[in-house]
Amino acid sequence: ELWLSIGSFREQIEYLAANNFQLLSIDDALDALEGKKRMPNGRPLCLTFDNGYQDFQEHVYPLLCQYGYPATLLISPLRVGKSRKIENTAIPYLSWNTLRELVQNNVTVGAFEDHSLAIHQVPEAVLKRHIVDHKNMLEDELGVEIRYFGIKEGIPNRAVRELMASQGYRAFLTQCPTYRRPNLDWVGRIQVDDDDFNIFLTKISSTYLFF
């Protein structure tokens, strides 16, 4: 439910490169969503990565650089430089120095709510505090504007959306909200965590998005 093997990820990236997919930055993707930018020929995709584990810098980032692909990394500033124990193994998060290097090299950093997997499981007071504090902490450390806030599942209520707008966020990133047209209040994302290549092909198809 969390990991995708390096071999599978490489196969997916190589397929995108060989089949006329256009990898967009998050800013360009949302400009297209709002009709502010027309996309040239190609099949547009935007890559986002949650949590900010060290393996992003070790394994994912070099492959993205090889193809010149942009990416968005969502991380809680409370996790930076620390580690998380998963199945008795300590998994390190990225350091501040590494994040500073990444933002200078085609990686957009946004804030991530990892207090719980789903937004309705996070106390609203905690969520509102993190919307403000995570942005300030990341901006202070990285010296760039933080414009995106993400969570694994769920969409924000009106009070949370209004707070985000007041803080200068551009968009809220979540998993694909069923039966909802995309807008900046809930930008749906397709979770790709399958080593089965056929499942990957299904998830990037327009048929999958339609259903």
Side-chain angles (χ1 to χ4, degrees), residues 25-202:
S25 70
I26 186 68
D27 288 324
D28 285 344
L30 296 187
D31 282 347
L33 177 66
E34 291 187 291
K36 297 177 180 177
K37 177 175 291 189
R38 294 186 63 184
M39 292 296 101
N41 293 334
R43 304 166 70 183
L45 281 179
C46 178
L47 300 179
T48 64
F49 300 85
D50 294 350
N51 297 304
Y53 294 117
Q54 180 64 33
D55 64 356
F56 175 87
Q57 191 268 342
E58 294 174 355
H59 301 296
V60 175
Y61 180 65
L63 188 57
L64 298 179
C65 286
Q66 179 180 336
Y67 290 95
Y69 288 165
T72 297
L73 181 67
L74 303 179
I75 186 170
S76 165
L78 305 177
R79 305 292 186 183
V80 176
K82 299 180 180 179
S83 64
R84 173 186 177 188
K85 183 165 280 191
I86 301 177
E87 296 182 354
N88 297 318
T89 300
I91 308 298
Y93 290 92
L94 294 165
S95 68
W96 285 117
N97 284 338
T98 300
L99 284 171
R100 293 186 191 101
E101 180 181 342
L102 290 172
V103 298
Q104 299 301 318
N105 291 278
N106 220 22
V107 176
T108 300
V109 171
F112 189 59
E113 177 57 72
D114 66 352
H115 184 86
S116 187
L117 294 179
I119 193 171
H120 68 271
Q121 297 171 339
V122 182
E124 187 168 321
V126 172
L127 179 63
K128 288 182 175 180
R129 184 172 72 249
H130 286 176
I131 285 171
V132 176
D133 292 349
H134 283 14
K135 188 176 196 293
N136 291 337
M137 293 170 68
L138 288 168
E139 289 181 342
D140 287 347
E141 290 287 349
L142 303 179
V144 295
E145 183 182 9
I146 301 300
R147 307 179 70 201
Y148 302 102
F149 191 94
I151 196 169
K152 184 174 175 64
E153 297 177 2
I155 62 173
N157 61 30
R158 180 181 296 275
V160 171
R161 297 198 304 268
E162 290 175 350
L163 175 62
M164 292 185 63
S166 73
Q167 295 299 308
Y169 285 102
R170 183 180 186 189
F172 183 92
L173 309 182
T174 183
Q175 258 193 65
C176 190
T178 307
Y179 304 125
R180 293 181 182 270
R181 293 181 62 83
N183 61 64
L184 299 189
D185 291 332
W186 44 71
V187 179
R189 304 179 292 158
I190 302 299
Q191 181 174 335
V192 178
D193 56 0
D194 311 284
D195 283 330
D196 187 323
F197 189 68
N198 288 324
I199 295 179
F200 166 73
L201 293 179
T202 299

